[in-house]
Amino acid sequence: MSRDIAVVAFAQTRHSGEDLGLAEIEMLAPVITEIKEKTGRRRFGFTCSGSCDYLAGAPFAFVSALDTVGAWPPISESHVEMDGAWALYEAWVKLLHGDIDTALVYGFGKSTQGHLRAILTQQLDPYTVAPLGIDAVSLAALQARAYLERSGAKEDDLRAVAARSRAAGRSNPFALHLPDPDGSAADHDYDVAPLHPYDVAPVTDGAAAIVLAAGDTARELCERPAWITGIDHRTEAHAPGVRDLTRSESARLAGEKAGADGIEVAELHAQYTHEELILREALGLGDDVTVNPSGGALSANPMMAAGLIRIGEAAARIHDGTASRTLGHASSGPCLQQNLVCVLSGEKNG
């Protein structure tokens, strides 16, 4: 069964790079309230969330977040231990079944309450890689070095990505408003070579929510719905050592299957500067495509919500009429292991 499904509302927190003393549920509550006010809905046909219990350090921590939604009378609800973009994918599939017309999707994460680099090590192979203690930034640095050597790009090219992203982020009221890389001692030193501190997405707390709707319901809830004309998720081998880190075959394939052509704006979930360059190549994005006008993850990277935010930001360009065809991208796992591409259009037929 084929149905026309659209993003009809998007809301996010004003993200923070420090612990503001809020519990995850307190951080999420205003976002859920805002998204309900935007749609005039108090209940939805389906609710799906994305979060990570490791961030909270407690099993089934996502259950408390349901208090913000209101789970009584009983609701149809699901959860993914992934970025909220994958919760959106599940909700999209649910809407395709035809038994519901609306879905609420949200993602949230409070990264400041733990040591994020150590936490992310737990996603690695528990027998052969995790025991090495290698963290996410070190793995990204291996990928960056391989990419620079293969492509001929320079560290200045990475710095340019950071500078553009941070400048865009300062125009985004929800981002962290980071300064330009200025050649200071802090910027000059490597985090893990060849990556400088500005090449790495900041540790961020935040949350976001999206409402999906089908058919005529989408038109009722939004003046200019962002219709999902293609969405695809692909994954590569878990072990970084058995794939070409300088290219993203999964992003290329996901983009191809989702129909990522003729894009005007692309919101890429690049958590390191070199990842943007790899993704641009994989998705075939030319210089005529505006990339991460929101500042992207390099300006605010709330774990478990940053990928969903990329889709929301891409949809927002459709909603406000500044673009007619956009792309939202989310990644998960070490070195761009998993990639989800969502293509959005102001017209149902794309």
Side-chain angles (χ1 to χ4, degrees), residues 162-173 175 177 291-296 299:
R164 193 205 73 247
S165 298
R166 289 186 170 196
R170 290 194 296 274
S171 298
N172 179 355
H177 296 189
V291 175
N292 288 347
S294 68
S299 288

Side-chain angles (χ1 to χ4, degrees), residues 134-296:
I134 187 169
D135 62 37
V137 179
S138 297
L139 280 170
L142 290 174
Q143 183 183 41
R145 174 61 67 197
Y147 173 75
L148 293 178
E149 292 181 357
R150 193 267 293 174
S151 67
K154 306 298 181 185
E155 289 182 25
D156 283 347
D157 296 313
L158 304 185
R159 184 175 183 274
V161 171
R164 193 205 73 247
S165 298
R166 289 186 170 196
R170 290 194 296 274
S171 298
N172 179 355
F174 303 100
L176 298 189
H177 296 189
L178 303 171
D180 283 334
D182 58 8
S184 64
D187 280 344
H188 180 74
D189 293 339
Y190 287 112
D191 187 326
V192 182
L195 299 178
H196 297 269
Y198 56 74
D199 291 309
V200 181
V203 173
T204 313
D205 294 347
I210 279 177
V211 172
L212 298 179
D216 292 338
T217 302
R219 288 289 186 191
E220 294 171 5
L221 298 179
C222 181
E223 182 177 347
R224 184 175 162 83
W227 300 101
I228 298 175
T229 61
I231 185 169
D232 198 80
H233 162 226
R234 301 285 162 161
T235 185
E236 298 182 45
H238 193 195
V242 299
R243 51 190 169 99
D244 181 358
L245 297 182
T246 71
R247 293 177 170 84
S248 180
E249 181 62 16
S250 57
R252 184 198 66 77
L253 188 56
E256 178 184 304
K257 297 298 183 181
D261 58 320
I263 300 300
E264 300 163 73
V265 176
E267 283 283 343
L268 304 180
H269 188 197
Q271 300 179 75
Y272 306 91
T273 51
H274 70 278
E275 287 187 347
E276 179 181 308
L277 302 181
I278 292 174
L279 289 168
R280 278 177 175 266
E281 179 182 312
L283 295 171
L285 303 179
D287 293 337
D288 58 330
V289 178
T290 301
V291 175
N292 288 347
S294 68

Side-chain angles (χ1 to χ4, degrees), residues 77-160:
E77 183 271 338
S78 184
H79 173 262
V80 297
E81 194 78 3
M82 290 280 281
D83 186 287
W86 276 266
L88 182 142
Y89 190 94
E90 180 176 336
W92 174 77
V93 172
K94 182 80 169 177
L95 281 160
L96 285 179
H97 291 174
D99 53 346
I100 59 169
D101 292 323
T102 60
L104 170 65
V105 179
Y106 60 92
F108 60 94
K110 185 175 179 181
S111 302
T112 60
Q113 62 189 342
H115 189 270
L116 186 59
R117 296 188 185 190
I119 291 170
L120 290 176
T121 300
Q122 304 308 308
Q123 71 181 335
L124 304 175
D125 182 277
Y127 301 105
T128 61
V129 184
L132 300 177
I134 187 169
D135 62 37
V137 179
S138 297
L139 280 170
L142 290 174
Q143 183 183 41
R145 174 61 67 197
Y147 173 75
L148 293 178
E149 292 181 357
R150 193 267 293 174
S151 67
K154 306 298 181 185
E155 289 182 25
D156 283 347
D157 296 313
L158 304 185
R159 184 175 183 274

